[in-house]
Amino acid sequence: MDALTWHAGGCHCGAVRFEVALSGRVKAQACNCSMCEMVGFIHMIVPERRFRITAGQGQLTDYTFNTGVAHHLFCRICGVKSFYRPRSNPDGWSVNARCLDDQTALVIEVEPFDGRNWEQHAAALAHLSHDPSVREEVPV
Ligand SMILES: [Zn+2]
């Protein structure tokens, strides 16, 4: 497996900033649920320890709907959701590939995810927030 490196990103206005540890080749999901389809969110789901908010924690607003498990965090200044707590992986994070400063630094393979039929498909994503094979590789 590729070594992980930290990649920076943020919201449109720059108030909210984050870093996410990714390997050079990333599998991401394009979800067709009511919310993701509307905003074009491209999911890179990572464990808790591979994500950190570096600025703007206080600018985040939390939107919840339906089961209330997912926390859709968006910047209260510009409205952009650059990452959130996904219902499929509430112990991890889903980071929007579109919000990375430099997407060209990675090979991002986008696969479709059928979020309209979430109950039938969510189990396929559940491992993404707790993959033991990468535990030792997170750089500081
Ligand atoms: Zn913003």
PDB file of all heavy atoms in Angstrom, residues 53-82:
ATOM      1  N   ILE A  53      -8.977  19.223  11.419  1.00  0.00           N
ATOM      2  CA  ILE A  53      -9.408  20.580  11.083  1.00  0.00           C
ATOM      3  C   ILE A  53      -8.286  21.514  11.514  1.00  0.00           C
ATOM      4  O   ILE A  53      -7.850  21.465  12.664  1.00  0.00           O
ATOM      5  CB  ILE A  53     -10.725  20.919  11.810  1.00  0.00           C
ATOM      6  CG1 ILE A  53     -11.848  20.004  11.319  1.00  0.00           C
ATOM      7  CG2 ILE A  53     -11.091  22.390  11.596  1.00  0.00           C
ATOM      8  CD1 ILE A  53     -13.124  20.071  12.156  1.00  0.00           C
ATOM      9  N   THR A  54      -7.799  22.333  10.593  1.00  0.00           N
ATOM     10  CA  THR A  54      -6.662  23.197  10.914  1.00  0.00           C
ATOM     11  C   THR A  54      -7.079  24.649  11.108  1.00  0.00           C
ATOM     12  O   THR A  54      -6.291  25.444  11.621  1.00  0.00           O
ATOM     13  CB  THR A  54      -5.582  23.103   9.810  1.00  0.00           C
ATOM     14  OG1 THR A  54      -6.191  23.381   8.542  1.00  0.00           O
ATOM     15  CG2 THR A  54      -4.972  21.709   9.770  1.00  0.00           C
ATOM     16  N   ALA A  55      -8.274  25.017  10.687  1.00  0.00           N
ATOM     17  CA  ALA A  55      -8.769  26.389  10.909  1.00  0.00           C
ATOM     18  C   ALA A  55     -10.281  26.409  10.759  1.00  0.00           C
ATOM     19  O   ALA A  55     -10.861  25.611  10.011  1.00  0.00           O
ATOM     20  CB  ALA A  55      -8.150  27.360   9.899  1.00  0.00           C
ATOM     21  N   GLY A  56     -10.921  27.316  11.479  1.00  0.00           N
ATOM     22  CA  GLY A  56     -12.328  27.587  11.252  1.00  0.00           C
ATOM     23  C   GLY A  56     -13.323  26.674  11.943  1.00  0.00           C
ATOM     24  O   GLY A  56     -14.503  26.669  11.571  1.00  0.00           O
ATOM     25  N   GLN A  57     -12.886  25.932  12.955  1.00  0.00           N
ATOM     26  CA  GLN A  57     -13.827  25.056  13.683  1.00  0.00           C
ATOM     27  C   GLN A  57     -15.084  25.839  14.103  1.00  0.00           C
ATOM     28  O   GLN A  57     -16.201  25.348  13.989  1.00  0.00           O
ATOM     29  CB  GLN A  57     -13.117  24.486  14.919  1.00  0.00           C
ATOM     30  CG  GLN A  57     -13.991  23.630  15.827  1.00  0.00           C
ATOM     31  CD  GLN A  57     -13.966  22.157  15.465  1.00  0.00           C
ATOM     32  OE1 GLN A  57     -12.903  21.550  15.347  1.00  0.00           O
ATOM     33  NE2 GLN A  57     -15.134  21.596  15.263  1.00  0.00           N
ATOM     34  N   GLY A  58     -14.857  27.070  14.556  1.00  0.00           N
ATOM     35  CA  GLY A  58     -15.964  27.890  15.039  1.00  0.00           C
ATOM     36  C   GLY A  58     -16.882  28.415  13.942  1.00  0.00           C
ATOM     37  O   GLY A  58     -17.956  28.964  14.227  1.00  0.00           O
ATOM     38  N   GLN A  59     -16.484  28.263  12.678  1.00  0.00           N
ATOM     39  CA  GLN A  59     -17.310  28.728  11.558  1.00  0.00           C
ATOM     40  C   GLN A  59     -18.235  27.631  11.040  1.00  0.00           C
ATOM     41  O   GLN A  59     -19.043  27.863  10.143  1.00  0.00           O
ATOM     42  CB  GLN A  59     -16.428  29.206  10.386  1.00  0.00           C
ATOM     43  CG  GLN A  59     -15.415  30.270  10.748  1.00  0.00           C
ATOM     44  CD  GLN A  59     -16.054  31.579  11.155  1.00  0.00           C
ATOM     45  OE1 GLN A  59     -17.242  31.791  10.949  1.00  0.00           O
ATOM     46  NE2 GLN A  59     -15.267  32.459  11.749  1.00  0.00           N
ATOM     47  N   LEU A  60     -18.100  26.420  11.589  1.00  0.00           N
ATOM     48  CA  LEU A  60     -18.871  25.299  11.059  1.00  0.00           C
ATOM     49  C   LEU A  60     -20.293  25.292  11.610  1.00  0.00           C
ATOM     50  O   LEU A  60     -20.516  25.486  12.798  1.00  0.00           O
ATOM     51  CB  LEU A  60     -18.183  23.976  11.414  1.00  0.00           C
ATOM     52  CG  LEU A  60     -16.860  23.721  10.694  1.00  0.00           C
ATOM     53  CD1 LEU A  60     -16.129  22.539  11.331  1.00  0.00           C
ATOM     54  CD2 LEU A  60     -17.081  23.474   9.208  1.00  0.00           C
ATOM     55  N   THR A  61     -21.226  25.053  10.726  1.00  0.00           N
ATOM     56  CA  THR A  61     -22.627  24.887  11.099  1.00  0.00           C
ATOM     57  C   THR A  61     -23.030  23.456  10.753  1.00  0.00           C
ATOM     58  O   THR A  61     -22.582  22.910   9.748  1.00  0.00           O
ATOM     59  CB  THR A  61     -23.511  25.888  10.318  1.00  0.00           C
ATOM     60  OG1 THR A  61     -23.085  27.200  10.640  1.00  0.00           O
ATOM     61  CG2 THR A  61     -24.975  25.733  10.694  1.00  0.00           C
ATOM     62  N   ASP A  62     -23.848  22.848  11.593  1.00  0.00           N
ATOM     63  CA  ASP A  62     -24.212  21.446  11.442  1.00  0.00           C
ATOM     64  C   ASP A  62     -25.646  21.320  10.935  1.00  0.00           C
ATOM     65  O   ASP A  62     -26.564  21.856  11.550  1.00  0.00           O
ATOM     66  CB  ASP A  62     -24.072  20.757  12.813  1.00  0.00           C
ATOM     67  CG  ASP A  62     -24.283  19.245  12.740  1.00  0.00           C
ATOM     68  OD1 ASP A  62     -24.424  18.708  11.631  1.00  0.00           O
ATOM     69  OD2 ASP A  62     -24.300  18.620  13.814  1.00  0.00           O
ATOM     70  N   TYR A  63     -25.810  20.624   9.820  1.00  0.00           N
ATOM     71  CA  TYR A  63     -27.143  20.347   9.280  1.00  0.00           C
ATOM     72  C   TYR A  63     -27.402  18.853   9.371  1.00  0.00           C
ATOM     73  O   TYR A  63     -26.565  18.049   8.955  1.00  0.00           O
ATOM     74  CB  TYR A  63     -27.215  20.812   7.821  1.00  0.00           C
ATOM     75  CG  TYR A  63     -28.491  20.411   7.109  1.00  0.00           C
ATOM     76  CD1 TYR A  63     -29.723  20.891   7.529  1.00  0.00           C
ATOM     77  CD2 TYR A  63     -28.452  19.553   6.015  1.00  0.00           C
ATOM     78  CE1 TYR A  63     -30.895  20.519   6.874  1.00  0.00           C
ATOM     79  CE2 TYR A  63     -29.618  19.190   5.346  1.00  0.00           C
ATOM     80  CZ  TYR A  63     -30.828  19.675   5.786  1.00  0.00           C
ATOM     81  OH  TYR A  63     -31.982  19.312   5.136  1.00  0.00           O
ATOM     82  N   THR A  64     -28.545  18.463   9.923  1.00  0.00           N
ATOM     83  CA  THR A  64     -28.914  17.056   9.979  1.00  0.00           C
ATOM     84  C   THR A  64     -30.319  16.884   9.417  1.00  0.00           C
ATOM     85  O   THR A  64     -31.130  17.816   9.435  1.00  0.00           O
ATOM     86  CB  THR A  64     -28.876  16.501  11.420  1.00  0.00           C
ATOM     87  OG1 THR A  64     -29.794  17.251  12.217  1.00  0.00           O
ATOM     88  CG2 THR A  64     -27.491  16.607  12.030  1.00  0.00           C
ATOM     89  N   PHE A  65     -30.601  15.702   8.907  1.00  0.00           N
ATOM     90  CA  PHE A  65     -31.951  15.401   8.412  1.00  0.00           C
ATOM     91  C   PHE A  65     -32.160  13.896   8.481  1.00  0.00           C
ATOM     92  O   PHE A  65     -31.234  13.143   8.805  1.00  0.00           O
ATOM     93  CB  PHE A  65     -32.155  15.944   6.989  1.00  0.00           C
ATOM     94  CG  PHE A  65     -31.309  15.281   5.925  1.00  0.00           C
ATOM     95  CD1 PHE A  65     -31.834  14.288   5.110  1.00  0.00           C
ATOM     96  CD2 PHE A  65     -29.995  15.661   5.745  1.00  0.00           C
ATOM     97  CE1 PHE A  65     -31.062  13.683   4.124  1.00  0.00           C
ATOM     98  CE2 PHE A  65     -29.208  15.057   4.774  1.00  0.00           C
ATOM     99  CZ  PHE A  65     -29.739  14.073   3.963  1.00  0.00           C
ATOM    100  N   ASN A  66     -33.356  13.466   8.205  1.00  0.00           N
ATOM    101  CA  ASN A  66     -33.701  12.037   8.196  1.00  0.00           C
ATOM    102  C   ASN A  66     -33.297  11.389   9.521  1.00  0.00           C
ATOM    103  O   ASN A  66     -33.838  11.749  10.560  1.00  0.00           O
ATOM    104  CB  ASN A  66     -33.050  11.375   6.969  1.00  0.00           C
ATOM    105  CG  ASN A  66     -33.623   9.993   6.677  1.00  0.00           C
ATOM    106  OD1 ASN A  66     -34.568   9.568   7.321  1.00  0.00           O
ATOM    107  ND2 ASN A  66     -33.048   9.285   5.722  1.00  0.00           N
ATOM    108  N   THR A  67     -32.327  10.465   9.548  1.00  0.00           N
ATOM    109  CA  THR A  67     -31.989   9.755  10.783  1.00  0.00           C
ATOM    110  C   THR A  67     -31.189  10.625  11.756  1.00  0.00           C
ATOM    111  O   THR A  67     -31.077  10.285  12.933  1.00  0.00           O
ATOM    112  CB  THR A  67     -31.136   8.504  10.477  1.00  0.00           C
ATOM    113  OG1 THR A  67     -29.904   8.913   9.873  1.00  0.00           O
ATOM    114  CG2 THR A  67     -31.874   7.555   9.550  1.00  0.00           C
ATOM    115  N   GLY A  68     -30.592  11.709  11.263  1.00  0.00           N
ATOM    116  CA  GLY A  68     -29.809  12.588  12.129  1.00  0.00           C
ATOM    117  C   GLY A  68     -28.438  12.063  12.488  1.00  0.00           C
ATOM    118  O   GLY A  68     -27.733  12.659  13.299  1.00  0.00           O
ATOM    119  N   VAL A  69     -28.031  10.937  11.886  1.00  0.00           N
ATOM    120  CA  VAL A  69     -26.722  10.360  12.212  1.00  0.00           C
ATOM    121  C   VAL A  69     -25.600  11.141  11.531  1.00  0.00           C
ATOM    122  O   VAL A  69     -24.568  11.432  12.130  1.00  0.00           O
ATOM    123  CB  VAL A  69     -26.658   8.869  11.815  1.00  0.00           C
ATOM    124  CG1 VAL A  69     -25.261   8.304  12.062  1.00  0.00           C
ATOM    125  CG2 VAL A  69     -27.703   8.078  12.593  1.00  0.00           C
ATOM    126  N   ALA A  70     -25.797  11.474  10.270  1.00  0.00           N
ATOM    127  CA  ALA A  70     -24.789  12.251   9.549  1.00  0.00           C
ATOM    128  C   ALA A  70     -24.811  13.697  10.035  1.00  0.00           C
ATOM    129  O   ALA A  70     -25.870  14.257  10.336  1.00  0.00           O
ATOM    130  CB  ALA A  70     -25.083  12.220   8.055  1.00  0.00           C
ATOM    131  N   HIS A  71     -23.628  14.270  10.150  1.00  0.00           N
ATOM    132  CA  HIS A  71     -23.524  15.687  10.492  1.00  0.00           C
ATOM    133  C   HIS A  71     -22.924  16.417   9.297  1.00  0.00           C
ATOM    134  O   HIS A  71     -21.727  16.311   9.025  1.00  0.00           O
ATOM    135  CB  HIS A  71     -22.673  15.871  11.752  1.00  0.00           C
ATOM    136  CG  HIS A  71     -23.363  15.374  12.977  1.00  0.00           C
ATOM    137  ND1 HIS A  71     -24.203  16.171  13.738  1.00  0.00           N
ATOM    138  CD2 HIS A  71     -23.397  14.150  13.541  1.00  0.00           C
ATOM    139  CE1 HIS A  71     -24.707  15.453  14.729  1.00  0.00           C
ATOM    140  NE2 HIS A  71     -24.233  14.226  14.637  1.00  0.00           N
ATOM    141  N   HIS A  72     -23.772  17.137   8.583  1.00  0.00           N
ATOM    142  CA  HIS A  72     -23.356  17.852   7.376  1.00  0.00           C
ATOM    143  C   HIS A  72     -22.838  19.219   7.812  1.00  0.00           C
ATOM    144  O   HIS A  72     -23.607  20.139   8.056  1.00  0.00           O
ATOM    145  CB  HIS A  72     -24.525  17.976   6.407  1.00  0.00           C
ATOM    146  CG  HIS A  72     -25.045  16.644   5.960  1.00  0.00           C
ATOM    147  ND1 HIS A  72     -24.507  15.958   4.891  1.00  0.00           N
ATOM    148  CD2 HIS A  72     -26.009  15.845   6.471  1.00  0.00           C
ATOM    149  CE1 HIS A  72     -25.142  14.797   4.754  1.00  0.00           C
ATOM    150  NE2 HIS A  72     -26.051  14.713   5.694  1.00  0.00           N
ATOM    151  N   LEU A  73     -21.518  19.301   7.944  1.00  0.00           N
ATOM    152  CA  LEU A  73     -20.882  20.513   8.465  1.00  0.00           C
ATOM    153  C   LEU A  73     -20.550  21.439   7.306  1.00  0.00           C
ATOM    154  O   LEU A  73     -19.867  21.039   6.365  1.00  0.00           O
ATOM    155  CB  LEU A  73     -19.607  20.137   9.217  1.00  0.00           C
ATOM    156  CG  LEU A  73     -19.810  19.182  10.397  1.00  0.00           C
ATOM    157  CD1 LEU A  73     -18.468  18.638  10.880  1.00  0.00           C
ATOM    158  CD2 LEU A  73     -20.558  19.878  11.522  1.00  0.00           C
ATOM    159  N   PHE A  74     -21.056  22.655   7.373  1.00  0.00           N
ATOM    160  CA  PHE A  74     -20.743  23.593   6.293  1.00  0.00           C
ATOM    161  C   PHE A  74     -20.281  24.924   6.871  1.00  0.00           C
ATOM    162  O   PHE A  74     -20.591  25.270   8.015  1.00  0.00           O
ATOM    163  CB  PHE A  74     -21.943  23.778   5.359  1.00  0.00           C
ATOM    164  CG  PHE A  74     -23.159  24.374   6.015  1.00  0.00           C
ATOM    165  CD1 PHE A  74     -23.372  25.739   5.991  1.00  0.00           C
ATOM    166  CD2 PHE A  74     -24.074  23.568   6.667  1.00  0.00           C
ATOM    167  CE1 PHE A  74     -24.486  26.284   6.599  1.00  0.00           C
ATOM    168  CE2 PHE A  74     -25.196  24.113   7.273  1.00  0.00           C
ATOM    169  CZ  PHE A  74     -25.406  25.477   7.240  1.00  0.00           C
ATOM    170  N   CYS A  75     -19.512  25.647   6.066  1.00  0.00           N
ATOM    171  CA  CYS A  75     -18.986  26.941   6.486  1.00  0.00           C
ATOM    172  C   CYS A  75     -20.128  27.953   6.540  1.00  0.00           C
ATOM    173  O   CYS A  75     -20.866  28.111   5.569  1.00  0.00           O
ATOM    174  CB  CYS A  75     -17.912  27.401   5.508  1.00  0.00           C
ATOM    175  SG  CYS A  75     -17.368  29.097   5.802  1.00  0.00           S
ATOM    176  N   ARG A  76     -20.288  28.645   7.655  1.00  0.00           N
ATOM    177  CA  ARG A  76     -21.425  29.556   7.777  1.00  0.00           C
ATOM    178  C   ARG A  76     -21.207  30.860   6.997  1.00  0.00           C
ATOM    179  O   ARG A  76     -22.133  31.632   6.814  1.00  0.00           O
ATOM    180  CB  ARG A  76     -21.723  29.850   9.252  1.00  0.00           C
ATOM    181  CG  ARG A  76     -20.679  30.663   9.967  1.00  0.00           C
ATOM    182  CD  ARG A  76     -21.014  30.700  11.455  1.00  0.00           C
ATOM    183  NE  ARG A  76     -20.023  31.435  12.190  1.00  0.00           N
ATOM    184  CZ  ARG A  76     -20.178  32.722  12.553  1.00  0.00           C
ATOM    185  NH1 ARG A  76     -21.268  33.369  12.236  1.00  0.00           N
ATOM    186  NH2 ARG A  76     -19.219  33.321  13.220  1.00  0.00           N
ATOM    187  N   ILE A  77     -19.997  31.059   6.506  1.00  0.00           N
ATOM    188  CA  ILE A  77     -19.738  32.252   5.692  1.00  0.00           C
ATOM    189  C   ILE A  77     -20.045  31.977   4.218  1.00  0.00           C
ATOM    190  O   ILE A  77     -20.830  32.680   3.589  1.00  0.00           O
ATOM    191  CB  ILE A  77     -18.271  32.708   5.846  1.00  0.00           C
ATOM    192  CG1 ILE A  77     -17.978  33.045   7.317  1.00  0.00           C
ATOM    193  CG2 ILE A  77     -17.984  33.912   4.933  1.00  0.00           C
ATOM    194  CD1 ILE A  77     -16.503  33.231   7.624  1.00  0.00           C
ATOM    195  N   CYS A  78     -19.442  30.907   3.648  1.00  0.00           N
ATOM    196  CA  CYS A  78     -19.591  30.664   2.204  1.00  0.00           C
ATOM    197  C   CYS A  78     -20.548  29.511   1.885  1.00  0.00           C
ATOM    198  O   CYS A  78     -20.925  29.325   0.730  1.00  0.00           O
ATOM    199  CB  CYS A  78     -18.228  30.417   1.559  1.00  0.00           C
ATOM    200  SG  CYS A  78     -17.446  28.872   2.048  1.00  0.00           S
ATOM    201  N   GLY A  79     -20.933  28.715   2.885  1.00  0.00           N
ATOM    202  CA  GLY A  79     -21.910  27.658   2.658  1.00  0.00           C
ATOM    203  C   GLY A  79     -21.356  26.357   2.127  1.00  0.00           C
ATOM    204  O   GLY A  79     -22.117  25.420   1.890  1.00  0.00           O
ATOM    205  N   VAL A  80     -20.042  26.279   1.922  1.00  0.00           N
ATOM    206  CA  VAL A  80     -19.469  25.061   1.322  1.00  0.00           C
ATOM    207  C   VAL A  80     -19.251  23.981   2.377  1.00  0.00           C
ATOM    208  O   VAL A  80     -18.716  24.238   3.453  1.00  0.00           O
ATOM    209  CB  VAL A  80     -18.147  25.405   0.596  1.00  0.00           C
ATOM    210  CG1 VAL A  80     -17.360  24.132   0.251  1.00  0.00           C
ATOM    211  CG2 VAL A  80     -18.450  26.189  -0.672  1.00  0.00           C
ATOM    212  N   LYS A  81     -19.667  22.760   2.033  1.00  0.00           N
ATOM    213  CA  LYS A  81     -19.428  21.580   2.878  1.00  0.00           C
ATOM    214  C   LYS A  81     -18.193  20.875   2.345  1.00  0.00           C
ATOM    215  O   LYS A  81     -18.243  20.178   1.333  1.00  0.00           O
ATOM    216  CB  LYS A  81     -20.644  20.646   2.829  1.00  0.00           C
ATOM    217  CG  LYS A  81     -20.482  19.409   3.702  1.00  0.00           C
ATOM    218  CD  LYS A  81     -21.741  18.553   3.743  1.00  0.00           C
ATOM    219  CE  LYS A  81     -21.909  17.708   2.508  1.00  0.00           C
ATOM    220  NZ  LYS A  81     -22.961  16.675   2.655  1.00  0.00           N
ATOM    221  N   SER A  82     -17.055  21.094   2.978  1.00  0.00           N
ATOM    222  CA  SER A  82     -15.817  20.482   2.483  1.00  0.00           C
ATOM    223  C   SER A  82     -15.545  19.126   3.130  1.00  0.00           C
ATOM    224  O   SER A  82     -14.738  18.359   2.621  1.00  0.00           O
ATOM    225  CB  SER A  82     -14.624  21.431   2.645  1.00  0.00           C
ATOM    226  OG  SER A  82     -14.606  22.043   3.910  1.00  0.00           O
TER     227      SER A  82
END
